[in-house]
């Protein structure tokens, strides 16, 4: 007849054998004591602190709050970009920022080595500036919203970083409100070109100024010429010459080339404009 080794039978050498039997054992391995356990027992890790309040981009002021998920942890922080440590500011309550600041923080707790350092950058928009987009950017490349074009954050050669605002097949048309009439010496806008990703420099950028936000007068035009084949990404600043006029509103109109050129792999497809910052001096 048949013979079976049951769960728990002792084999040669005193080892237990766990093999298939002739009937399922529905009670085996289903209890709480049978749940696998995963644990770090060699050393303890203290998580980095987190920023629980504060606007990355703000006008006027913003209140910043820090926290740790470990009860009893102490948080030390700096506001000048220096490495935080036990001798740095001890976080006790939320604090207010009124200027662009780099906050760095570290957590400490008894029985743990210090945590890693968390870094958070807060940017104050100068003079309580505002902006209105008269054409809509792509939802995939909004860089966080309308304020992205005046938040002081610059993009890199990688358009995927979230710092570029993208416009597919349409012009960029934005009006910056300086808050009051101010002297304007120069205007510039940063653009990215990455032809392999169908991103081209604008065909032309026009800067116009106004005191009432309705009637605008052209102040400068910047035209780089027709696009030519180019390998790799490149960033350029489309800057006006000296303007030397006073105004409250500045309009930036960057004309999209529309469609990818005939020599391009995406010929006939919609071209993109990617902008990161409008600088008004």
């Amino acid at each position: 007849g048949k013979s079976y080794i049951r769960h728990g039978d002792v084999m040669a050498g005193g080892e237990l054998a766990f093999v298939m039997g002739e009937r399922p054992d529905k009670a085996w391995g289903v209890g709480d004591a049978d749940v696998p356990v995963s644990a770090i027992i060699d050393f303890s890790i203290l998580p980095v602190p987190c920023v629980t309040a504060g606007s990355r981009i703000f006008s006027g002021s913003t209140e910043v709050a820090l926290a740790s998920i470990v009860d009893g942890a102490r948080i030390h922080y700096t506001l000048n970009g220096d490495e935080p440590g036990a001798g740095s500011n001890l976080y006790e309550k939320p604090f207010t920022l009124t200027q662009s600041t780099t906050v760095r923080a570290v957590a400490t707790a008894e029985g743990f080595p210090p945590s890693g350092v968390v870094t958070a950058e807060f940017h104050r928009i100068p003079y309580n500036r505002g902006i209105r987009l008269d054409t809509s950017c792509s939802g995939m490349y909004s860089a966080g919203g309308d304020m992205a074009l005046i938040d002081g954050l610059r993009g890199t050669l990688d358009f995927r970083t979230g710092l570029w605002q993208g416009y597919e097949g349409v012009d960029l048309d934005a009006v910056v409100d300086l808050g009051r009439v101010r002297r304007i010496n120069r205007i510039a806008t940063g653009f990215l070109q990455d032809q392999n990703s169908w991103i081209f420099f604008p065909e032309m950028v026009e800067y116009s100024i106004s005191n009432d936000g309705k009637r605008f007068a052209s102040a400068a035009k910047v035209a780089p010429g027709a696009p030519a084949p180019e390998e790799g990404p490149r960033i350029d600043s489309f800057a006006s010459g000296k303007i030397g006029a006073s105004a409250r509103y500045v309009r930036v109109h960057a004309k999209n080339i529309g469609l990818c050129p005939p020599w391009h792999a995406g010929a006939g497809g919609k071209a993109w404009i990617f902008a990161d910052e409008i600088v008004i001096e």
Side-chain angles (χ1 to χ4, degrees):
K2 298 180 180 179
S3 62
Y4 295 91
I5 300 175
R6 299 181 302 278
H7 300 301
D9 281 356
V10 178
M11 302 290 290
E15 296 181 354
L16 290 176
F18 297 93
V19 298
M20 295 293 292
E22 61 183 342
R23 293 186 181 87
D25 184 354
K26 296 183 180 180
W28 182 78
V30 298
D32 291 341
D34 300 312
V35 176
V37 175
S38 177
I40 299 174
I41 59 175
D42 293 333
F43 57 90
S44 299
I45 298 176
L46 183 61
V48 298
C50 56
V51 178
T52 58
S55 298
R56 187 187 70 162
I57 308 301
F58 66 94
S59 59
S61 65
T62 187
E63 187 174 76
V64 177
L66 307 175
S68 172
I69 64 172
V70 177
D71 291 339
R74 294 161 64 90
I75 301 173
H76 293 271
Y77 67 96
T78 61
L79 300 179
N80 58 2
D82 286 350
E83 191 80 1
S88 304
N89 301 315
L90 175 64
Y91 178 76
E92 296 177 310
K93 62 181 181 180
F95 52 89
T96 300
L97 301 179
T98 58
Q99 60 185 0
S100 296
T101 304
T102 297
V103 177
R104 306 192 73 197
V106 63
T108 60
E110 186 175 352
F112 293 87
S115 74
V117 175
V118 65
T119 300
E121 294 185 352
F122 297 88
H123 295 266
R124 181 180 184 274
I125 298 172
Y127 310 120
N128 297 324
R129 292 181 182 179
I131 189 170
R132 182 186 79 236
L133 299 182
D134 289 337
T135 51
S136 298
C137 63
S138 165
M140 296 187 297
Y141 303 105
S142 68
D146 295 1
M147 301 297 283
L149 293 179
I150 57 171
D151 63 6
L153 301 177
R154 306 310 297 257
T156 68
L157 291 173
D158 186 351
F159 70 91
R160 305 172 187 86
T161 58
L163 296 174
W164 291 100
Q165 197 170 82
Y167 295 79
E168 185 185 21
V170 297
D171 299 348
L172 183 165
D173 197 352
V175 176
V176 178
D177 181 357
L178 300 178
R180 62 176 175 81
V181 174
R182 299 180 184 277
R183 186 73 175 175
I184 300 172
N185 295 316
R186 177 179 174 271
I187 309 169
T189 307
F191 292 98
L192 172 71
Q193 179 167 272
D194 187 349
Q195 294 179 357
N196 288 336
S197 300
W198 299 21
I199 302 170
F200 293 84
F201 286 140
E203 180 180 316
M204 182 270 295
V205 178
E206 181 175 15
Y207 299 117
S208 304
I209 58 177
S210 169
N211 286 330
D212 61 9
K214 299 176 181 179
R215 294 166 296 178
F216 285 83
S218 180
K221 293 182 180 180
V222 185
E230 185 174 317
E231 290 295 327
R234 180 163 63 95
I235 297 172
D236 201 356
S237 178
F238 284 52
S240 70
K242 183 175 177 59
I243 293 179
S246 296
R248 173 172 174 172
Y249 300 91
V250 175
R251 167 165 280 160
V252 180
H253 182 196
K255 183 172 177 55
N256 196 316
I257 65 170
L259 303 177
C260 297
W263 48 261
H264 189 263
K270 292 181 180 180
W272 287 82
I273 286 178
F274 271 63
D276 65 347
E277 191 71 13
I278 299 171
V279 178
I280 302 171
E281 300 172 351

